[in-house]
Amino acid sequence: MTPSLIRGRPRGAAAHISVRVAHAVLGSAAGLVWLVLPGMTTRTDVPVALTGGLPAASAAAPAAMVGASPCAAAGAAAGAAASARGDTSTADLALPLLAASAAAALAGYGYVRRTRRARTRTTPGGAPVSPPEPPVAELDARTRAALVETDDCVRTSREELDFAGDLLGPAAQPFAAALRTAQAELSAAFRMRQRYDDGVPEETTARRHALAGMAGRCLEAGRRLDAVAAGLDRARGLERDPGKALKEAEARFRELTSRTSAAVTTLTELARRYPPSATAPVTRYPEQAEDRLVFATARLNLARQAADLGDLPRAAGHLRAAESAVAQAGVLVGAVERLAADLAAAVRLVPAALTGAEAELAALRAEAEGPFGEPRARLGQADGVLAAVREEVTGGPYDPLDALRRIVRAVAAAGAGREGVLSAAALLCARVTTAATAAFLVTHRGAVGAEARTRLAEAERLLAARPAEPLAADALARRARELAARDVRQYGGPSAAGAGDVNWTDGAVLAGILLGGDPDGGPPASFGGPRTRARRAHRAQ
């Protein structure tokens, strides 16, 4: 932005003022010439007498007017006197008129300059007027929206690249690299957001800078994806020949159809062996997977029909929607399969965790001084938790993951449990909770806000840290699930038509498969950043 634009004045304003001043000066000069020209062209060589005491005009009059009438003589004398006076007055007025015109032009120019400066500047030094800073609340809302949009872009890009990678092979590496870079930028933004929510920094100006930093990270992540999105479109060639991609999507669809049927059986068996709390994270997941597969069936059929009619852009759009639905069905089915394996692992770990916890508490009890005090009180509370868990284990169906979580937290509160079997138990609980929350967010991302996404990102960061912090990660992941579920409830559920309807759009928008904005659900999500999304939305109109 140029300085003239910063000051609020057009680039050619100075030139326009100069032109107006030049016009004023030229007009004054023209007026001056008009006044002087008659005096310069009037004959002034009237005969005058060289001697005598009378004035020249009076002495010449009798000689020149001999034989003339008295009236003619008087007229001639008056004309000569007037000519002499007119020549003198014109010369006397020329310089004052020129000076007055120049002064008026300069005064007008100065007035215009002062008026413009007063409108566009606020300081004596002429500093540019800065636009008012938006309120922190407005910046916060913009940043939250940017985090949500960028997170959606990264997740949908990962889904499409997963399909494209099987067909592209090594040619997919540049796109995978861009995705990793975008993920790193997004992770940094979420880390900044977590610290911001924790009150760091505290000073208002520093918090503004923190919000700007988050927005910048999101902008860079989106830019990285947008930079290679067109290249991936060309590499896939969906708008030239979608045949291979259609076959790949249909193959995955058939595989997931079989896995979904098995997941229904698996969940039924889990519900028989464990209490409802153990299977609550994946309740209705097989049903939701079936909804997405039915939606994928409809979109695959539409893609085939459009391709047969030669409408390849429309075929590519339907294919992308089908791929995203198939990918989400895989996430839901995988969550059921993973929970079954995790519950079995927890059942095997509970007896060892109980034994290890009791041993650590005994060692702490031996080190505690005196029969009373805070250490003894914490040990007593931990003993009570272990006794309750042991009773549940021997009494009938129980939630093994919840039992492990209670054991680990009780021992940690007493100041132990950071190594050995208890550390493994804590990691298992945190990984299960984080994975379950991630699956819920991915399949409901059209409704989940920035707070839940931030807590999940922080939980994933703590799990990946060395050393890991499983207790904090587990707590954050549980909180993220609560926040995400709240967002979905506030958003509202899918339409009553169900996924069996070809025009099932509410569920697809809620899942983030379609981007919304139109009665038909809008364009499908795809690889790329915000600009790519905007471009596809414009083309879909």
Side-chain angles (χ1 to χ4, degrees):
M1 183 176 292
T2 62
S4 63
L5 290 179
I6 292 175
R7 291 193 296 268
R9 186 173 67 203
R11 196 184 300 266
H16 295 165
I17 293 173
S18 301
V19 170
R20 288 196 292 270
V21 172
H23 288 172
V25 173
L26 289 175
S28 301
L32 178 62
V33 171
W34 181 78
L35 289 172
V36 173
L37 187 60
M40 295 175 63
T41 57
T42 302
R43 184 177 181 85
T44 60
D45 54 344
V46 179
V48 296
L50 298 177
T51 61
L54 292 176
S58 300
M65 296 299 169
V66 174
S69 67
C71 292
S83 177
R85 289 195 305 270
D87 180 62
T88 302
S89 63
T90 300
D92 291 342
L93 287 176
L95 290 177
L97 180 60
L98 180 61
S101 299
L106 291 174
Y109 178 74
Y111 174 77
V112 171
R113 288 290 303 271
R114 285 194 301 272
T115 302
R116 290 184 179 275
R117 188 175 299 155
R119 285 199 300 262
T120 60
R121 299 184 182 184
T122 60
T123 62
V129 177
S130 299
E133 291 186 341
V136 175
E138 182 179 339
L139 290 176
D140 185 33
R142 293 179 188 174
T143 303
R144 288 172 178 265
L147 285 169
V148 170
E149 182 179 39
T150 307
D151 190 42
D152 283 346
C153 289
V154 169
R155 294 181 184 278
T156 54
S157 296
R158 186 180 297 116
E159 287 177 355
E160 180 169 358
L161 188 60
D162 182 53
F163 275 87
D166 291 343
L167 296 178
L168 296 180
Q173 289 303 316
F175 313 112
L179 180 59
R180 287 193 298 269
T181 303
Q183 178 64 69
E185 294 288 345
L186 177 62
S187 298
F190 274 130
R191 176 58 180 149
M192 296 171 67
R193 182 73 214 192
Q194 181 64 44
R195 289 173 56 82
Y196 184 91
D197 291 344
D198 291 339
V200 180
E202 297 181 356
E203 200 269 327
T204 302
T205 301
R207 290 179 74 78
R208 284 182 177 274
H209 292 166
L211 291 171
M214 298 174 216
R217 293 282 190 173
C218 291
L219 185 65
E220 179 62 15
R223 189 189 69 81
R224 294 280 184 161
L225 295 175
D226 285 328
V228 298
L232 182 62
D233 288 347
R234 290 190 296 269
R236 296 197 72 189
L238 297 184
E239 297 187 7
R240 296 193 309 270
D241 182 12
K244 292 182 179 180
L246 272 169
K247 291 180 180 178
E248 174 68 18
E250 289 168 347
R252 292 200 186 190
F253 171 83
R254 289 190 293 270
E255 175 194 356
L256 276 170
T257 300
S258 175
R259 287 175 58 195
T260 302
S261 300
V264 173
T265 304
T266 298
L267 189 57
T268 302
E269 179 62 21
L270 293 177
R272 186 184 64 81
R273 295 178 58 185
Y274 302 106
S277 63
T279 58
V282 298
T283 300
R284 297 189 64 247
Y285 272 19
E287 178 183 345
Q288 293 179 22
E290 290 174 349
D291 288 343
R292 284 155 176 79
L293 290 177
V294 171
F295 177 81
T297 300
R299 292 292 170 149
L300 287 172
N301 290 336
L302 290 173
R304 284 286 184 188
Q305 294 171 9
D308 292 341
L309 294 174
D311 191 351
L312 298 183
R314 183 175 295 275
H318 289 312
L319 175 57
R320 283 193 172 96
E323 288 176 343
S324 185
V326 169
Q328 290 198 14
V331 170
L332 294 166
V333 171
V336 175
E337 296 169 344
R338 186 170 53 252
L339 179 63
D342 292 336
L343 287 171
V347 168
R348 294 190 297 268
L349 196 55
V350 166
L354 281 171
T355 302
E358 290 169 347
E360 293 211 21
L361 292 179
L364 289 175
R365 191 176 293 107
E367 296 175 0
E369 297 181 359
F372 305 105
E374 184 178 354
R376 289 288 182 179
R378 290 198 301 266
L379 289 172
Q381 293 173 358
D383 287 335
V385 172
L386 296 184
V389 170
R390 190 172 291 278
E391 183 178 353
E392 291 177 5
V393 170
T394 58
Y398 71 101
D399 183 348
L401 287 169
D402 179 67
L404 284 179
R405 185 175 292 110
R406 291 158 60 193
I407 293 170
V408 169
R409 291 191 174 277
V411 176
R418 299 183 181 277
E419 298 179 355
V421 65
L422 293 177
S423 177
L427 282 171
L428 176 62
C429 292
R431 287 171 180 160
V432 169
T433 307
T434 302
T437 302
F440 183 85
L441 193 153
V442 166
T443 54
H444 299 81
R445 59 175 174 255
V448 179
E451 189 175 0
R453 296 169 190 254
T454 301
R455 302 298 174 268
L456 176 60
E458 183 66 7
E460 293 172 339
R461 187 190 72 83
L462 293 176
L463 273 180
R466 292 294 180 268
E469 300 180 38
L471 293 178
D474 182 67
L476 283 166
R478 288 165 66 86
R479 177 58 178 161
R481 178 63 181 263
E482 294 171 359
L483 293 169
R486 180 202 64 186
D487 292 341
V488 172
R489 287 193 300 270
Q490 293 176 350
Y491 178 90
S495 65
D501 191 330
V502 172
N503 294 320
W504 180 69
T505 59
D506 291 348
V509 173
L510 170 65
I513 297 171
L514 301 178
L515 299 181
D518 292 327
D520 63 352
S526 63
F527 189 101
R531 290 188 177 182
T532 302
R533 287 192 166 203
R535 174 169 54 84
R536 295 196 191 282
H538 179 73
R539 289 180 58 186
Q541 293 177 353

